[in-house]
Amino acid sequence: VKCGAWGCFDEFNRLLPDQLSEISQQIQLIQFALKARQPQVELLGVTVKVDSNAGIFVTMNPAGKGYGGRSKLPDNLKALFRAIAMSAPDNELIAEVMMYSEGFTHAKELGSKLVAVFKLSAQLLSPQQHYDWGLRSLKTV
């Protein structure tokens, strides 16, 4: 808040409910100060300057639905953020662009084949926890 930085808190809903409650109070104070264009805000007993360029963002995976250790957000915290939906990335396009950027001349065909190998591997190999056929491992190839 002091220097105008943006903070992105990844997998925010992995925090414990009591931690979420405490953090939501601090976020509420910061967001109110930003909206009201206040020059300063008091956080945990310390007065801090407010730079209007500051922003707070969180990422979350759904509670339940196969993602362990996630909490549902309290309503007062939900009200502080705008929800957006994400879609699955186009792995073929990502592989193609990465290969072109590395100098491959037939990147479109190679990217398509590489993604096909990853998809087949995910479908046909035995499901092991240490196998990762997602975008992160595709990018390492």
Side-chain angles (χ1 to χ4, degrees), residues 36 45 50 132 140:
V50 175
D132 179 14
T140 63

Side-chain angles (χ1 to χ4, degrees), residues 53-83:
N53 293 313
I56 300 171
F57 305 90
V58 298
T59 67
M60 300 182 296
N61 284 321
K65 297 186 182 179
Y67 294 100
R70 274 42 173 216
S71 304
K72 289 194 181 248
L73 290 185
D75 289 336
N76 64 335
L77 189 54
K78 277 186 198 174
L80 299 177
F81 295 101
R82 181 179 306 144

Side-chain angles (χ1 to χ4, degrees), residues 26-27 47 64-65 73 87 90 94 107 110 130:
Q26 302 304 314
I27 290 174
T47 302
K65 297 186 182 179
L73 290 185
S87 61
D90 184 346
I94 292 169
L110 288 172
H130 58 275

Side-chain angles (χ1 to χ4, degrees), residues 57-122:
F57 305 90
V58 298
T59 67
M60 300 182 296
N61 284 321
K65 297 186 182 179
Y67 294 100
R70 274 42 173 216
S71 304
K72 289 194 181 248
L73 290 185
D75 289 336
N76 64 335
L77 189 54
K78 277 186 198 174
L80 299 177
F81 295 101
R82 181 179 306 144
I84 61 168
M86 303 295 287
S87 61
D90 184 346
N91 288 356
E92 284 189 32
L93 180 61
I94 292 169
E96 176 187 341
V97 169
M98 287 177 49
M99 288 182 165
Y100 272 130
S101 70
E102 293 291 335
F104 286 86
T105 54
H106 301 292
K108 187 167 189 75
E109 296 82 14
L110 288 172
S112 177
K113 289 178 181 181
L114 182 61
V115 170
V117 167
F118 269 68
K119 283 181 181 176
L120 283 171
S121 297

Side-chain angles (χ1 to χ4, degrees), residues 1 14 20 23 27 29 32 34 40 53 58 61 64-65 69 75 79 100-101 111 119-120 125 129 133 137-139 141:
V1 176
R14 292 194 75 160
L20 282 171
I23 291 171
I27 290 174
L29 291 171
F32 178 76
L34 287 169
Q40 56 194 23
N53 293 313
V58 298
N61 284 321
K65 297 186 182 179
D75 289 336
Y100 272 130
S101 70
K119 283 181 181 176
L120 283 171
L125 294 175
Q129 190 172 7
W133 304 111
S137 60
L138 177 72
K139 289 176 67 175
V141 175

